[in-house]
């Protein structure tokens, strides 16, 4: 018995794909992913139309989706993140139906409860056996964790595994078990290793970034949370990584035994594990080769599903136990609402990912961002798009001062006592505007091109088209 | 945030347990289990009545269930196996409603598809953290795999984890993740280590057993299946273990690289893994301490859920890829139907467990049994109870000859060529009866006391009450 089929075309036919259905993809191969394009090209050739694409994230490598939209193959998109290339086209009005943005926790929740049913899930698997047991830990296209693919595999009506490393049954140390898999397709390559993970993620050397990072580490140090059992998530941006570096030094100096590091995992988090700052890493996605090597070889570094990471509708998720998260922003307003969906001209160039989920779960949710970018202040009266509501954000760290959300008065007092440069968010806005000037208000286009769905399923905001010339 | 509650009573109340509901239990603590009795006693004290108990197996230690049945606390039982103590009472007519017997694959299938919904699942966990991540690999009551508990955790409306080893969050190397768990109760002890696993399982020294074991190994050797990639399951009975020992010698002598050993795992299977006979062990339940040690420390030895082991309604299960299984029987008839539910007097003293599942899946399903037991021949015209249908059985090995199911003519020819003592099943019956005399026919009682549900959900047979004096 084997579930191997001879081609992607045969797999799609066996899955019974028809007009109007939903197909899904995960994004662990990131900008090196070949699978989404390969599958959509085959589907287009088969003449199937009017599909919904539900992808955990979309990168610039997925630019061919624009043609599938123009040709009516794809008429709806659900995703947690969209890079600037496709984002720009969507913002200019490429699609009739608004894109639905969810979060990395809201997506699996909506899949599990039937809000966004999946007809056929395509799992890009760096290793698989002929019955469909598969993993991201091994193979020439190794990407580490397959965390975001779990809900797709568990709940889709049909599940197709696509691999470029077929191994004899049974694959050892599988992530997704055969019980969910309908068929397996072997292809030459599922991705370009250079795009799948960066060789290494890099700490910033920019002086402004280092100042912010140092403040961020001190905020954590004096937050009251940095004690034995401490848990932490940070992104892969240069300043966030630098903050993790400073935090590591503080933890080692104070001999603090943390419990876990969470999230998309970088080599810097692996360093912290190995240095004894954490007991475990809980990993929904690997960002670099060091993280991939670690999840493959270190039993303390464990894969978690997107459901386990962040779903608000399971009995609990790891984000509910998180102490501190460091997050980014393209804008933050004086109510601490954060935008990570659109750029300074209003074009889509991102998405929540795990932003809202970790902000909601963590005891301390910190935004780290420079006071201004491209001569535009980071603090505004109202963000262009609410990606994460201000009620879930505790503090904004910039090189020009640290603004604490008034809801967390205790934190403000502790940081002031520690001698950190606390500043009101309105003052911070004024300080930035004194340097950059007040920004011109953005013009909104006439159409809603995307909806931001909050992690628990409500409509958080709408994103409008960008008018010509902006 | 924590899901810890102060007592079992509080957990049961929080779960909203009411009259008429279904509670479930798993059996990895085997005859050392304290949890089922502890929970049922608390439920009885709370005055809840008319419950269905869905337990993956019931052992003699669960004898107090009989009183709960007499008192109306429990009015229905669903299980895959029932030891002789409770079995005798059921056979004498203790319950108004027939017991429903399923298989280790059929049970998770029926739970997943809603045929046997569970209101509250109780998970006995040798280690757990305060959010409910739990495992059987560590702790004073370590039992290794928690495979049978997965469907209960995944599909029950409420899930209560009961542990005697609470560890800080997050537990490393969890089996069942927190996403399914509603609350966690800490107790003094979930079981008696002496009853949880035997210190060691023992190879038979009985000459008859050794003859059968040697034949069994030779049947496998000449079956055409013993080649690289070979996969194997055997039980924990003395002759089955001896057969595994002989098979190991053959595999090593012939330098055969098998793929996996499956099932309830004993130290003998661990020896075969370590000797290089297999690449992996896939483990739904550990039978002895050596297996527990191995699953904890050897990454080639992996836990599988009951769904992954044997469910006929998932996209596939490991049994579908199995080459050879060695199974026992209390009776086998001339159509190769096998009874593992009742003893020679018709009393319930067992159940299918994984018998039917592996027989259906394996390319070669072998029964190993002595020609007679207690002066009763093993082969009969019609088994008292059909536990596994004859269509799924390939061969019966006894010390008095090897009977091949006529459906598998190729196998009979190969074994004959190899010089093995092949005998027709009718001749084997006559040969046994020449020694023991023809058995007296069993008398059937008036009532159906149990139904045998086949792995795919049909009624395979009914078990009748045993009349007085039999």
């Amino acid at each position: 018995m084997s579930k191997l089929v001879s081609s992607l075309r045969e797999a799609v036919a066996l899955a019974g794909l028809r007009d109007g259905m939903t197909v899904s993809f995960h994004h662990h191969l990131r900008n090196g992913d070949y699978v989404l394009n390969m599958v959509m090209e085959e589907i287009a050739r088969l003449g199937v139309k009017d599909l919904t694409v539900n992808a955990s994230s979309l990168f610039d490598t997925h630019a061919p989706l624009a043609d599938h939209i123009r040709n009516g193959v794809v008429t709806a998109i659900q995703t947690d993140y969209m890079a600037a290339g496709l984002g720009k086209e969507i913002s200019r009005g490429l699609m009739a139906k608004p894109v639905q943005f969810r979060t990395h926790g809201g997506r699996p929740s909506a899949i599990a409860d039937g809000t966004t049913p999946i007809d056929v899930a395509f799992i890009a698997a760096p290793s698989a056996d002929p019955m469909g047991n598969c993993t991201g830990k091994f193979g020439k296209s190794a990407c580490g964790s397959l965390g975001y693919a779990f809900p797709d595999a568990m709940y889709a009506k049909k599940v197709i595994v696509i691999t470029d490393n077929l191994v004899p049954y049974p694959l050892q140390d599988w992530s997704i078990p055969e019980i969910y898999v309908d068929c397996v397709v072997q292809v030459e390559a599922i991705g370009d290793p250079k795009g799948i993970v960066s060789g290494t993620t890099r700490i910033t050397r920019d002086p402004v970034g280092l100042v912010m990072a140092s403040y961020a580490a001190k905020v954590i140090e004096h937050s009251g949370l940095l004690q034995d059992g401490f848990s932490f998530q940070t992104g892969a941006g240069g300043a966030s990584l630098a903050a993790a570096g400073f935090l590591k030094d503080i933890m080692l100096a104070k001999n603090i035994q943390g419990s876990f590091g969470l999230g998309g995992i970088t080599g810097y988090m692996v360093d912290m594990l190995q240095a004894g700052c954490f007991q475990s890493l809980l990993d929904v996605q690997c960002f670099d080769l060091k993280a991939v090597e670690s999840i493959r070889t270190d039993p303390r570094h464990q894969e978690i599903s997107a459901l386990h990471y962040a779903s608000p509708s399971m009995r609990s998720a790891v984000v509910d136990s998180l102490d501190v998260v460091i997050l980014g922003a393209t804008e933050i307003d004086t109510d601490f609402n954060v935008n990570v969906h659109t750029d300074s001209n209003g074009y889509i160039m991102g998405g929540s990912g795990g932003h809202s989920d970790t902000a909601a779960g963590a005891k301390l949710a910190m935004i780290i961002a420079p006071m201004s970018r491209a001569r535009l202040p980071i603090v505004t009266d109202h963000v262009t798009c609410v990606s994460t509501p201000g009620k879930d954000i505790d503090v904004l760290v910039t090189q020009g001062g640290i603004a604490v959300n008034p809801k967390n008065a205790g934190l403000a007092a502790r940081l002031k006592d520690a001698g950190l440069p606390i500043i009101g968010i309105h003052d911070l806005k004024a300080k930035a505007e004194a340097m950059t000037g007040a920004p011109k208000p953005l013009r909104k286009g006439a159409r809603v091109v995307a909806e931001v769905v909050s992690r628990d399923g409500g409509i958080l905001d709408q994103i409008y088209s960008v008018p010509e010339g902006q």
Side-chain angles (χ1 to χ4, degrees), chain A:
Chain A
M1 190 181 169
S2 159
K3 296 176 186 170
L4 270 179
V5 298
S6 63
S7 68
L8 197 48
R9 169 174 285 246
E10 192 187 339
V12 170
L14 277 173
L17 189 73
R18 292 191 316 273
D19 291 1
M21 284 187 165
T22 296
V23 294
S24 88
F25 302 92
H26 64 100
H27 72 280
H28 297 89
L29 302 181
R30 303 173 61 79
N31 208 38
D33 176 46
Y34 290 166
V35 166
L36 187 146
N37 292 342
M38 186 190 299
V39 168
M40 292 311 301
E41 198 180 313
E42 198 58 53
I43 288 174
R45 255 192 236 130
L46 285 163
V48 184
K49 299 275 182 188
D50 191 24
L51 293 178
T52 296
V53 168
N54 182 336
S56 52
S57 292
L58 292 167
F59 287 83
D60 280 335
T61 193
H62 301 126
L65 257 187
D67 280 336
H68 297 305
I69 294 168
R70 279 183 205 101
N71 297 334
V73 176
V74 174
T75 53
I77 290 181
Q78 299 162 339
T79 191
D80 307 341
Y81 177 94
M82 184 181 283
L86 188 59
K88 198 153 214 170
E89 298 222 50
I90 296 293
S91 289
R92 282 180 175 151
L94 177 64
M95 287 189 96
K97 232 181 263 181
V99 168
Q100 282 195 329
F101 278 106
R102 284 187 174 73
T103 72
H104 282 341
R107 178 180 186 269
S109 174
I111 292 170
D113 74 11
T115 304
T116 56
I118 297 168
D119 293 295
V120 188
F122 295 88
I123 312 288
S127 290
D129 69 33
M131 297 300 281
N133 295 295
C134 60
T135 181
K137 293 179 190 169
F138 314 94
K140 66 175 178 179
S141 305
C143 60
S145 177
L146 289 184
Y148 296 120
F150 279 75
D152 305 46
M154 292 168 71
Y155 297 101
K157 293 190 191 79
K158 296 285 175 184
V159 175
I160 298 173
V161 162
I162 301 171
T163 189
D164 54 7
N165 185 38
L166 190 71
V167 304
Y169 185 90
L171 170 68
Q172 285 185 0
D173 201 9
W174 64 83
S175 300
I176 292 171
E178 64 183 289
I179 60 174
Y180 301 119
V181 178
D182 290 281
C183 68
V184 178
V185 186
Q186 193 175 12
V187 298
E188 186 88 8
I190 59 170
D192 173 4
K194 286 196 290 289
I196 294 173
V197 283
S198 28
T200 59
T201 35
R202 289 265 170 74
I203 275 189
T204 188
R205 294 186 178 182
D206 163 53
V208 168
L210 288 172
V211 169
M212 295 191 301
S214 154
Y215 285 164
K218 284 181 183 144
V219 166
I220 295 170
E221 182 180 5
H222 299 289
S223 66
L225 296 167
L226 193 63
Q227 48 193 356
D228 286 351
F230 174 73
S231 58
F232 179 58
Q233 173 165 343
T234 186
S240 302
L241 293 176
F246 289 131
L247 179 65
K248 178 181 156 198
D249 295 339
I250 295 169
M251 290 181 76
L252 293 176
K254 296 194 163 183
N255 193 26
I256 286 164
Q257 315 280 327
S259 60
F260 67 91
L262 174 64
I265 297 293
T266 63
Y268 290 94
M269 294 292 271
V270 174
D271 288 341
M272 291 181 81
L273 175 72
Q274 292 173 352
C277 298
F278 302 122
Q279 304 288 313
S280 323
L281 295 180
L282 302 179
D283 187 340
V284 71
Q285 178 187 11
C286 295
F287 280 126
D288 58 29
L289 291 172
K290 191 166 186 174
V292 174
E293 172 67 16
S294 170
I295 200 173
R296 176 167 48 218
T297 57
D298 189 337
R300 300 172 300 174
H301 184 160
Q302 286 208 273
E303 184 177 34
I304 51 172
S305 72
L307 294 153
H308 198 171
Y309 172 45
S311 171
S313 59
M314 301 308 286
R315 317 293 165 86
S316 67
V318 182
V319 295
D320 302 327
S321 295
L322 184 62
D323 284 332
V324 174
V325 64
I326 300 182
L327 297 164
T330 58
E331 287 179 305
I332 181 167
D333 66 25
T334 49
D335 293 324
F336 288 83
N337 296 304
V338 175
N339 177 14
V340 288
H341 278 89
T342 58
D343 68 13
S344 53
N345 290 314
Y347 287 105
I348 293 168
M349 46 63 71
S352 182
H355 200 286
S356 296
D357 301 302
T358 51
K363 293 192 187 68
L364 173 65
M366 178 196 300
I367 302 297
I368 179 168
M371 278 172 73
S372 64
R373 275 205 197 93
R375 299 206 55 76
L376 287 170
I378 201 84
V379 183
T380 63
D381 287 325
H382 300 288
V383 285
T384 315
C385 168
V386 178
S387 305
T388 294
K391 70 175 173 55
D392 291 334
I393 301 296
D394 294 281
V395 58
L396 165 65
V397 171
T398 73
Q399 79 276 30
I402 298 166
V404 179
N405 191 327
K407 73 161 187 162
N408 199 337
L411 178 66
R414 276 192 298 277
L415 300 184
K416 231 176 236 166
D417 286 350
L420 285 167
I422 301 304
I423 183 171
I425 188 109
H426 292 276
D427 294 341
L428 189 59
K429 174 171 177 275
K431 187 170 172 182
E433 286 184 0
M435 301 190 309
T436 62
K440 275 191 300 186
L442 277 190
R443 288 178 298 132
K444 256 186 196 175
R447 278 181 46 206
V448 172
V449 297
E451 294 174 343
V452 179
V453 182
S454 72
R455 67 192 298 254
D456 41 16
I459 297 294
L460 198 57
D461 208 344
Q462 295 180 311
I463 300 174
Y464 284 82
S465 55
V466 177
E468 283 297 315
Q470 181 163 285

